[in-house]
Amino acid sequence: MALREIRLEGDEILRKRSREVEVIDDKIKELIKDMDETMHSANGVGLSAVQVGVLKRIIVIDVNYDGTPSIILINPEIVKTKGKEEYQEGCLSFPNKFAKVIRPSEVTVKGLNENGKPITVKGKDLLAEALCHEIDHLDGKLFVDIMEPGTLEYIEKEEEKN
Ligand code: NI
């Protein structure tokens, strides 16, 4: 496993559409492990492959940080949404930047796990937000595109000042 470099705001790759994964080979499995490690090392709740420079439709999510395995989704698709909720949202590609975004309060997503098995993930609140945010990345869409106007804030976290 290895940490990968997170692509930041302004990097053209973040605007590109990621391609479907057709074969889950060792390279893809290694990418997924690296993504998971990179996300945790950056204290993020989600990461898409494009954010580490790979245009493949893969996302990893961990909203719990309780040691349970991350959610891994290959070729994810939102199949159902319910409700609306306002979230204070950030992104590992936009360090210290946050904005208010309105997204569904519940979503159902279908995709494949890292073994190629079809899975369905249902998420509420923060998990719903993370699923929508990461799936948007796969189409080159960023939270700043859909944020509520005038809500972008720069918040430096305490631990980074020390
Ligand atoms: Ni993001």
Side-chain angles (χ1 to χ4, degrees):
M1 289 204 290
L3 292 181
R4 303 219 183 182
E5 186 193 341
I6 297 176
R7 303 298 187 94
L8 298 177
E9 181 180 9
D11 192 318
E12 288 290 300
I13 201 168
L14 295 174
R15 288 296 178 187
K16 293 190 174 156
R17 185 185 180 275
S18 296
R19 289 176 295 270
E20 275 73 23
V21 174
E22 296 190 355
V23 183
I24 303 168
D25 56 15
D26 288 348
K27 216 177 149 189
I28 294 287
K29 288 185 181 182
E30 193 188 336
L31 168 67
I32 290 168
K33 283 183 183 153
D34 288 353
M35 285 171 63
D36 195 31
E37 194 184 350
T38 303
M39 173 184 72
H40 284 114
S41 146
N43 294 312
V45 297
L47 188 71
S48 57
V50 58
Q51 288 178 279
V52 294
V54 181
L55 288 166
K56 300 269 188 197
R57 301 184 81 82
I58 304 171
I59 62 174
V60 298
I61 291 175
D62 185 357
V63 295
N64 301 314
Y65 273 70
D66 59 1
T68 54
S70 302
I71 294 169
I72 290 155
L73 280 162
I74 298 169
N75 302 337
E77 270 181 67
I78 295 171
V79 293
K80 200 174 160 191
T81 66
K82 199 178 155 190
K84 260 188 200 174
E85 205 168 309
E86 189 181 80
Y87 300 97
Q88 171 83 349
E89 198 162 308
C91 176
L92 289 177
S93 295
F94 290 73
N96 305 316
K97 285 187 178 171
F98 298 89
K100 291 195 168 72
V101 175
I102 295 170
R103 297 203 186 263
S105 46
E106 293 180 43
V107 290
T108 305
V109 176
K110 286 190 175 177
L112 303 175
N113 72 7
E114 68 273 34
N115 299 312
K117 189 181 162 231
I119 53 167
T120 300
V121 176
K122 288 184 184 180
K124 278 187 184 178
D125 307 320
L126 179 59
L127 179 55
E129 181 222 328
L131 285 162
C132 293
H133 177 113
E134 298 313 327
I135 291 169
D136 275 355
H137 270 298
L138 305 181
D139 293 315
K141 200 163 145 192
L142 301 168
F143 79 111
V144 290
D145 302 338
I146 57 162
M147 67 184 177
E148 295 298 294
T151 63
L152 190 66
E153 284 185 275
Y154 187 88
I155 303 171
E156 213 172 322
K157 287 183 197 144
E158 284 298 324
E159 67 256 25
E160 283 165 5
K161 285 181 186 160
N162 297 326

mmCIF file of all heavy atoms in Angstrom, residues 111-150:
data_model
loop_
_atom_site.group_PDB
_atom_site.id
_atom_site.type_symbol
_atom_site.label_atom_id
_atom_site.label_comp_id
_atom_site.label_asym_id
_atom_site.label_seq_id
_atom_site.Cartn_x
_atom_site.Cartn_y
_atom_site.Cartn_z
ATOM 1 N N GLY A 111 -23.651 -0.598 -7.209
ATOM 2 C CA GLY A 111 -22.331 -0.667 -7.820
ATOM 3 C C GLY A 111 -21.740 -2.032 -7.559
ATOM 4 O O GLY A 111 -22.456 -2.970 -7.182
ATOM 5 N N LEU A 112 -20.424 -2.124 -7.749
ATOM 6 C CA LEU A 112 -19.725 -3.386 -7.483
ATOM 7 C C LEU A 112 -18.766 -3.163 -6.318
ATOM 8 O O LEU A 112 -18.227 -2.072 -6.165
ATOM 9 C CB LEU A 112 -18.901 -3.808 -8.707
ATOM 10 C CG LEU A 112 -19.641 -3.967 -10.033
ATOM 11 C CD1 LEU A 112 -18.631 -4.259 -11.150
ATOM 12 C CD2 LEU A 112 -20.677 -5.084 -9.951
ATOM 13 N N ASN A 113 -18.547 -4.214 -5.526
ATOM 14 C CA ASN A 113 -17.498 -4.098 -4.512
ATOM 15 C C ASN A 113 -16.145 -4.469 -5.129
ATOM 16 O O ASN A 113 -16.063 -4.745 -6.335
ATOM 17 C CB ASN A 113 -17.842 -4.920 -3.260
ATOM 18 C CG ASN A 113 -17.723 -6.417 -3.486
ATOM 19 O OD1 ASN A 113 -17.256 -6.870 -4.532
ATOM 20 N ND2 ASN A 113 -18.150 -7.181 -2.512
ATOM 21 N N GLU A 114 -15.107 -4.508 -4.315
ATOM 22 C CA GLU A 114 -13.760 -4.727 -4.855
ATOM 23 C C GLU A 114 -13.570 -6.139 -5.413
ATOM 24 O O GLU A 114 -12.580 -6.412 -6.088
ATOM 25 C CB GLU A 114 -12.682 -4.389 -3.813
ATOM 26 C CG GLU A 114 -12.606 -5.307 -2.612
ATOM 27 C CD GLU A 114 -13.547 -4.915 -1.481
ATOM 28 O OE1 GLU A 114 -14.672 -4.411 -1.751
ATOM 29 O OE2 GLU A 114 -13.163 -5.132 -0.315
ATOM 30 N N ASN A 115 -14.541 -7.034 -5.134
ATOM 31 C CA ASN A 115 -14.467 -8.381 -5.704
ATOM 32 C C ASN A 115 -15.381 -8.544 -6.919
ATOM 33 O O ASN A 115 -15.568 -9.658 -7.417
ATOM 34 C CB ASN A 115 -14.828 -9.418 -4.633
ATOM 35 C CG ASN A 115 -13.856 -9.358 -3.464
ATOM 36 O OD1 ASN A 115 -12.645 -9.329 -3.655
ATOM 37 N ND2 ASN A 115 -14.377 -9.293 -2.249
ATOM 38 N N GLY A 116 -15.977 -7.429 -7.344
ATOM 39 C CA GLY A 116 -16.829 -7.474 -8.527
ATOM 40 C C GLY A 116 -18.245 -7.921 -8.240
ATOM 41 O O GLY A 116 -19.030 -8.178 -9.152
ATOM 42 N N LYS A 117 -18.592 -8.021 -6.956
ATOM 43 C CA LYS A 117 -19.938 -8.464 -6.578
ATOM 44 C C LYS A 117 -20.880 -7.261 -6.542
ATOM 45 O O LYS A 117 -20.542 -6.231 -5.945
ATOM 46 C CB LYS A 117 -19.837 -9.103 -5.189
ATOM 47 C CG LYS A 117 -21.082 -9.790 -4.739
ATOM 48 C CD LYS A 117 -20.896 -10.374 -3.338
ATOM 49 C CE LYS A 117 -22.255 -10.661 -2.741
ATOM 50 N NZ LYS A 117 -22.473 -10.121 -1.422
ATOM 51 N N PRO A 118 -22.055 -7.373 -7.169
ATOM 52 C CA PRO A 118 -22.993 -6.245 -7.134
ATOM 53 C C PRO A 118 -23.459 -5.972 -5.700
ATOM 54 O O PRO A 118 -23.818 -6.904 -4.977
ATOM 55 C CB PRO A 118 -24.178 -6.726 -7.990
ATOM 56 C CG PRO A 118 -23.623 -7.825 -8.827
ATOM 57 C CD PRO A 118 -22.559 -8.482 -7.991
ATOM 58 N N ILE A 119 -23.423 -4.713 -5.300
ATOM 59 C CA ILE A 119 -23.881 -4.350 -3.959
ATOM 60 C C ILE A 119 -24.785 -3.118 -4.042
ATOM 61 O O ILE A 119 -24.713 -2.332 -4.988
ATOM 62 C CB ILE A 119 -22.717 -4.074 -2.969
ATOM 63 C CG1 ILE A 119 -21.726 -3.040 -3.518
ATOM 64 C CG2 ILE A 119 -21.980 -5.351 -2.611
ATOM 65 C CD1 ILE A 119 -20.744 -2.512 -2.476
ATOM 66 N N THR A 120 -25.616 -2.990 -3.019
ATOM 67 C CA THR A 120 -26.480 -1.819 -2.881
ATOM 68 C C THR A 120 -26.138 -1.164 -1.554
ATOM 69 O O THR A 120 -26.058 -1.837 -0.537
ATOM 70 C CB THR A 120 -27.962 -2.240 -2.883
ATOM 71 O OG1 THR A 120 -28.225 -2.890 -4.131
ATOM 72 C CG2 THR A 120 -28.882 -1.041 -2.760
ATOM 73 N N VAL A 121 -25.912 0.134 -1.584
ATOM 74 C CA VAL A 121 -25.603 0.876 -0.363
ATOM 75 C C VAL A 121 -26.693 1.917 -0.173
ATOM 76 O O VAL A 121 -26.998 2.689 -1.084
ATOM 77 C CB VAL A 121 -24.225 1.569 -0.464
ATOM 78 C CG1 VAL A 121 -23.950 2.414 0.777
ATOM 79 C CG2 VAL A 121 -23.115 0.543 -0.660
ATOM 80 N N LYS A 122 -27.295 1.907 1.031
ATOM 81 C CA LYS A 122 -28.273 2.953 1.357
ATOM 82 C C LYS A 122 -27.645 3.877 2.372
ATOM 83 O O LYS A 122 -27.062 3.415 3.358
ATOM 84 C CB LYS A 122 -29.544 2.318 1.935
ATOM 85 C CG LYS A 122 -30.349 1.598 0.890
ATOM 86 C CD LYS A 122 -31.649 1.062 1.436
ATOM 87 C CE LYS A 122 -32.348 0.273 0.326
ATOM 88 N NZ LYS A 122 -33.615 -0.290 0.761
ATOM 89 N N GLY A 123 -27.738 5.163 2.126
ATOM 90 C CA GLY A 123 -27.118 6.104 3.052
ATOM 91 C C GLY A 123 -28.058 7.225 3.422
ATOM 92 O O GLY A 123 -28.876 7.661 2.612
ATOM 93 N N LYS A 124 -27.914 7.673 4.678
ATOM 94 C CA LYS A 124 -28.675 8.830 5.175
ATOM 95 C C LYS A 124 -27.690 9.889 5.611
ATOM 96 O O LYS A 124 -26.570 9.584 6.013
ATOM 97 C CB LYS A 124 -29.459 8.428 6.422
ATOM 98 C CG LYS A 124 -30.754 7.723 6.172
ATOM 99 C CD LYS A 124 -31.480 7.546 7.505
ATOM 100 C CE LYS A 124 -32.752 6.756 7.306
ATOM 101 N NZ LYS A 124 -33.457 6.510 8.549
ATOM 102 N N ASP A 125 -28.127 11.128 5.626
ATOM 103 C CA ASP A 125 -27.350 12.242 6.185
ATOM 104 C C ASP A 125 -25.924 12.268 5.635
ATOM 105 O O ASP A 125 -25.759 12.306 4.435
ATOM 106 C CB ASP A 125 -27.402 12.198 7.725
ATOM 107 C CG ASP A 125 -28.843 12.130 8.231
ATOM 108 O OD1 ASP A 125 -29.701 12.823 7.651
ATOM 109 O OD2 ASP A 125 -29.108 11.372 9.172
ATOM 110 N N LEU A 126 -24.924 12.216 6.528
ATOM 111 C CA LEU A 126 -23.533 12.357 6.083
ATOM 112 C C LEU A 126 -23.145 11.312 5.029
ATOM 113 O O LEU A 126 -22.433 11.622 4.068
ATOM 114 C CB LEU A 126 -22.574 12.276 7.293
ATOM 115 C CG LEU A 126 -21.083 12.385 6.977
ATOM 116 C CD1 LEU A 126 -20.735 13.704 6.278
ATOM 117 C CD2 LEU A 126 -20.248 12.241 8.253
ATOM 118 N N LEU A 127 -23.634 10.086 5.193
ATOM 119 C CA LEU A 127 -23.303 9.053 4.195
ATOM 120 C C LEU A 127 -23.962 9.367 2.851
ATOM 121 O O LEU A 127 -23.355 9.180 1.791
ATOM 122 C CB LEU A 127 -23.697 7.664 4.710
ATOM 123 C CG LEU A 127 -23.436 6.491 3.751
ATOM 124 C CD1 LEU A 127 -21.974 6.446 3.293
ATOM 125 C CD2 LEU A 127 -23.826 5.162 4.403
ATOM 126 N N ALA A 128 -25.191 9.880 2.892
ATOM 127 C CA ALA A 128 -25.869 10.267 1.646
ATOM 128 C C ALA A 128 -25.081 11.380 0.956
ATOM 129 O O ALA A 128 -24.864 11.354 -0.261
ATOM 130 C CB ALA A 128 -27.297 10.727 1.937
ATOM 131 N N GLU A 129 -24.651 12.340 1.752
ATOM 132 C CA GLU A 129 -23.882 13.456 1.208
ATOM 133 C C GLU A 129 -22.586 12.959 0.567
ATOM 134 O O GLU A 129 -22.243 13.327 -0.557
ATOM 135 C CB GLU A 129 -23.534 14.441 2.334
ATOM 136 C CG GLU A 129 -22.758 15.645 1.843
ATOM 137 C CD GLU A 129 -21.624 16.029 2.770
ATOM 138 O OE1 GLU A 129 -21.717 15.846 3.991
ATOM 139 O OE2 GLU A 129 -20.617 16.521 2.238
ATOM 140 N N ALA A 130 -21.863 12.102 1.310
ATOM 141 C CA ALA A 130 -20.575 11.613 0.813
ATOM 142 C C ALA A 130 -20.758 10.821 -0.483
ATOM 143 O O ALA A 130 -19.982 10.979 -1.438
ATOM 144 C CB ALA A 130 -19.896 10.756 1.880
ATOM 145 N N LEU A 131 -21.781 9.989 -0.540
ATOM 146 C CA LEU A 131 -22.027 9.204 -1.759
ATOM 147 C C LEU A 131 -22.277 10.136 -2.947
ATOM 148 O O LEU A 131 -21.680 9.970 -4.015
ATOM 149 C CB LEU A 131 -23.234 8.275 -1.549
ATOM 150 C CG LEU A 131 -22.981 7.038 -0.660
ATOM 151 C CD1 LEU A 131 -24.295 6.451 -0.163
ATOM 152 C CD2 LEU A 131 -22.175 5.974 -1.407
ATOM 153 N N CYS A 132 -23.132 11.134 -2.753
ATOM 154 C CA CYS A 132 -23.441 12.068 -3.850
ATOM 155 C C CYS A 132 -22.198 12.855 -4.258
ATOM 156 O O CYS A 132 -21.917 13.027 -5.453
ATOM 157 C CB CYS A 132 -24.534 13.044 -3.430
ATOM 158 S SG CYS A 132 -26.130 12.281 -3.158
ATOM 159 N N HIS A 133 -21.454 13.327 -3.268
ATOM 160 C CA HIS A 133 -20.252 14.131 -3.531
ATOM 161 C C HIS A 133 -19.223 13.328 -4.341
ATOM 162 O O HIS A 133 -18.687 13.824 -5.338
ATOM 163 C CB HIS A 133 -19.659 14.582 -2.183
ATOM 164 C CG HIS A 133 -18.378 15.352 -2.286
ATOM 165 N ND1 HIS A 133 -18.288 16.690 -1.949
ATOM 166 C CD2 HIS A 133 -17.127 14.993 -2.677
ATOM 167 C CE1 HIS A 133 -17.037 17.105 -2.147
ATOM 168 N NE2 HIS A 133 -16.316 16.099 -2.578
ATOM 169 N N GLU A 134 -18.980 12.090 -3.918
ATOM 170 C CA GLU A 134 -17.953 11.291 -4.601
ATOM 171 C C GLU A 134 -18.404 10.877 -5.996
ATOM 172 O O GLU A 134 -17.609 10.858 -6.933
ATOM 173 C CB GLU A 134 -17.570 10.059 -3.770
ATOM 174 C CG GLU A 134 -16.958 10.376 -2.400
ATOM 175 C CD GLU A 134 -15.869 11.429 -2.406
ATOM 176 O OE1 GLU A 134 -15.115 11.510 -3.402
ATOM 177 O OE2 GLU A 134 -15.777 12.199 -1.436
ATOM 178 N N ILE A 135 -19.688 10.554 -6.142
ATOM 179 C CA ILE A 135 -20.184 10.160 -7.466
ATOM 180 C C ILE A 135 -20.127 11.364 -8.417
ATOM 181 O O ILE A 135 -19.792 11.217 -9.592
ATOM 182 C CB ILE A 135 -21.584 9.516 -7.359
ATOM 183 C CG1 ILE A 135 -21.455 8.158 -6.649
ATOM 184 C CG2 ILE A 135 -22.231 9.361 -8.736
ATOM 185 C CD1 ILE A 135 -22.758 7.509 -6.236
ATOM 186 N N ASP A 136 -20.396 12.559 -7.906
ATOM 187 C CA ASP A 136 -20.237 13.773 -8.719
ATOM 188 C C ASP A 136 -18.819 13.895 -9.274
ATOM 189 O O ASP A 136 -18.619 14.276 -10.426
ATOM 190 C CB ASP A 136 -20.523 15.030 -7.880
ATOM 191 C CG ASP A 136 -22.013 15.383 -7.829
ATOM 192 O OD1 ASP A 136 -22.810 14.721 -8.518
ATOM 193 O OD2 ASP A 136 -22.350 16.332 -7.104
ATOM 194 N N HIS A 137 -17.824 13.574 -8.420
ATOM 195 C CA HIS A 137 -16.422 13.661 -8.870
ATOM 196 C C HIS A 137 -16.198 12.842 -10.141
ATOM 197 O O HIS A 137 -15.391 13.226 -11.001
ATOM 198 C CB HIS A 137 -15.481 13.104 -7.795
ATOM 199 C CG HIS A 137 -14.992 14.120 -6.812
ATOM 200 N ND1 HIS A 137 -14.230 15.205 -7.178
ATOM 201 C CD2 HIS A 137 -15.117 14.199 -5.458
ATOM 202 C CE1 HIS A 137 -13.923 15.911 -6.088
ATOM 203 N NE2 HIS A 137 -14.455 15.338 -5.034
ATOM 204 N N LEU A 138 -16.891 11.701 -10.261
ATOM 205 C CA LEU A 138 -16.671 10.805 -11.400
ATOM 206 C C LEU A 138 -17.143 11.431 -12.711
ATOM 207 O O LEU A 138 -16.787 10.980 -13.790
ATOM 208 C CB LEU A 138 -17.365 9.460 -11.158
ATOM 209 C CG LEU A 138 -16.981 8.748 -9.843
ATOM 210 C CD1 LEU A 138 -17.705 7.424 -9.734
ATOM 211 C CD2 LEU A 138 -15.466 8.538 -9.755
ATOM 212 N N ASP A 139 -17.971 12.467 -12.584
ATOM 213 C CA ASP A 139 -18.423 13.198 -13.771
ATOM 214 C C ASP A 139 -17.799 14.583 -13.857
ATOM 215 O O ASP A 139 -18.295 15.455 -14.580
ATOM 216 C CB ASP A 139 -19.957 13.285 -13.775
ATOM 217 C CG ASP A 139 -20.578 11.910 -13.973
ATOM 218 O OD1 ASP A 139 -20.104 11.167 -14.859
ATOM 219 O OD2 ASP A 139 -21.502 11.558 -13.223
ATOM 220 N N GLY A 140 -16.734 14.786 -13.108
ATOM 221 C CA GLY A 140 -16.032 16.067 -13.171
ATOM 222 C C GLY A 140 -16.763 17.203 -12.486
ATOM 223 O O GLY A 140 -16.484 18.383 -12.727
ATOM 224 N N LYS A 141 -17.720 16.848 -11.628
ATOM 225 C CA LYS A 141 -18.533 17.852 -10.959
ATOM 226 C C LYS A 141 -18.030 18.047 -9.528
ATOM 227 O O LYS A 141 -17.781 17.067 -8.824
ATOM 228 C CB LYS A 141 -19.982 17.340 -10.950
ATOM 229 C CG LYS A 141 -21.023 18.391 -10.742
ATOM 230 C CD LYS A 141 -22.369 17.804 -11.172
ATOM 231 C CE LYS A 141 -23.489 18.315 -10.315
ATOM 232 N NZ LYS A 141 -24.735 17.566 -10.519
ATOM 233 N N LEU A 142 -17.906 19.304 -9.118
ATOM 234 C CA LEU A 142 -17.342 19.615 -7.806
ATOM 235 C C LEU A 142 -18.358 20.329 -6.933
ATOM 236 O O LEU A 142 -19.294 20.968 -7.439
ATOM 237 C CB LEU A 142 -16.095 20.488 -7.989
ATOM 238 C CG LEU A 142 -14.995 19.843 -8.844
ATOM 239 C CD1 LEU A 142 -13.938 20.863 -9.224
ATOM 240 C CD2 LEU A 142 -14.369 18.667 -8.119
ATOM 241 N N PHE A 143 -18.160 20.252 -5.618
ATOM 242 C CA PHE A 143 -19.158 20.842 -4.701
ATOM 243 C C PHE A 143 -19.293 22.347 -4.887
ATOM 244 O O PHE A 143 -20.369 22.906 -4.660
ATOM 245 C CB PHE A 143 -18.862 20.464 -3.240
ATOM 246 C CG PHE A 143 -17.760 21.244 -2.565
ATOM 247 C CD1 PHE A 143 -18.057 22.132 -1.542
ATOM 248 C CD2 PHE A 143 -16.448 21.100 -2.937
ATOM 249 C CE1 PHE A 143 -17.060 22.858 -0.900
ATOM 250 C CE2 PHE A 143 -15.439 21.820 -2.305
ATOM 251 C CZ PHE A 143 -15.743 22.704 -1.295
ATOM 252 N N VAL A 144 -18.220 22.991 -5.321
ATOM 253 C CA VAL A 144 -18.299 24.440 -5.526
ATOM 254 C C VAL A 144 -19.209 24.805 -6.716
ATOM 255 O O VAL A 144 -19.637 25.944 -6.830
ATOM 256 C CB VAL A 144 -16.894 25.065 -5.717
ATOM 257 C CG1 VAL A 144 -16.105 25.032 -4.422
ATOM 258 C CG2 VAL A 144 -16.117 24.364 -6.828
ATOM 259 N N ASP A 145 -19.504 23.822 -7.564
ATOM 260 C CA ASP A 145 -20.405 24.064 -8.701
ATOM 261 C C ASP A 145 -21.856 24.176 -8.241
ATOM 262 O O ASP A 145 -22.673 24.800 -8.915
ATOM 263 C CB ASP A 145 -20.347 22.902 -9.714
ATOM 264 C CG ASP A 145 -18.950 22.675 -10.256
ATOM 265 O OD1 ASP A 145 -18.128 23.607 -10.207
ATOM 266 O OD2 ASP A 145 -18.676 21.549 -10.724
ATOM 267 N N ILE A 146 -22.168 23.495 -7.146
ATOM 268 C CA ILE A 146 -23.575 23.428 -6.726
ATOM 269 C C ILE A 146 -23.797 24.057 -5.354
ATOM 270 O O ILE A 146 -24.876 23.952 -4.789
ATOM 271 C CB ILE A 146 -24.083 21.967 -6.736
ATOM 272 C CG1 ILE A 146 -23.221 21.071 -5.834
ATOM 273 C CG2 ILE A 146 -24.107 21.407 -8.149
ATOM 274 C CD1 ILE A 146 -23.914 19.762 -5.477
ATOM 275 N N MET A 147 -22.769 24.691 -4.817
ATOM 276 C CA MET A 147 -22.915 25.276 -3.471
ATOM 277 C C MET A 147 -23.922 26.425 -3.491
ATOM 278 O O MET A 147 -24.175 27.041 -4.524
ATOM 279 C CB MET A 147 -21.563 25.780 -2.962
ATOM 280 C CG MET A 147 -21.024 26.954 -3.740
ATOM 281 S SD MET A 147 -19.384 27.414 -3.158
ATOM 282 C CE MET A 147 -19.005 28.739 -4.312
ATOM 283 N N GLU A 148 -24.475 26.694 -2.323
ATOM 284 C CA GLU A 148 -25.364 27.836 -2.177
ATOM 285 C C GLU A 148 -24.506 29.096 -2.323
ATOM 286 O O GLU A 148 -23.458 29.209 -1.675
ATOM 287 C CB GLU A 148 -26.018 27.816 -0.788
ATOM 288 C CG GLU A 148 -26.950 26.629 -0.570
ATOM 289 C CD GLU A 148 -28.115 26.638 -1.542
ATOM 290 O OE1 GLU A 148 -28.944 27.548 -1.456
ATOM 291 O OE2 GLU A 148 -28.187 25.735 -2.399
ATOM 292 N N PRO A 149 -24.932 30.024 -3.179
ATOM 293 C CA PRO A 149 -24.087 31.198 -3.447
ATOM 294 C C PRO A 149 -23.696 31.933 -2.160
ATOM 295 O O PRO A 149 -24.503 32.085 -1.250
ATOM 296 C CB PRO A 149 -24.986 32.079 -4.309
ATOM 297 C CG PRO A 149 -25.964 31.147 -4.923
ATOM 298 C CD PRO A 149 -26.186 30.050 -3.940
ATOM 299 N N GLY A 150 -22.453 32.331 -2.108
ATOM 300 C CA GLY A 150 -21.977 33.142 -0.994
ATOM 301 C C GLY A 150 -21.678 32.375 0.280
ATOM 302 O O GLY A 150 -21.436 32.979 1.321
#
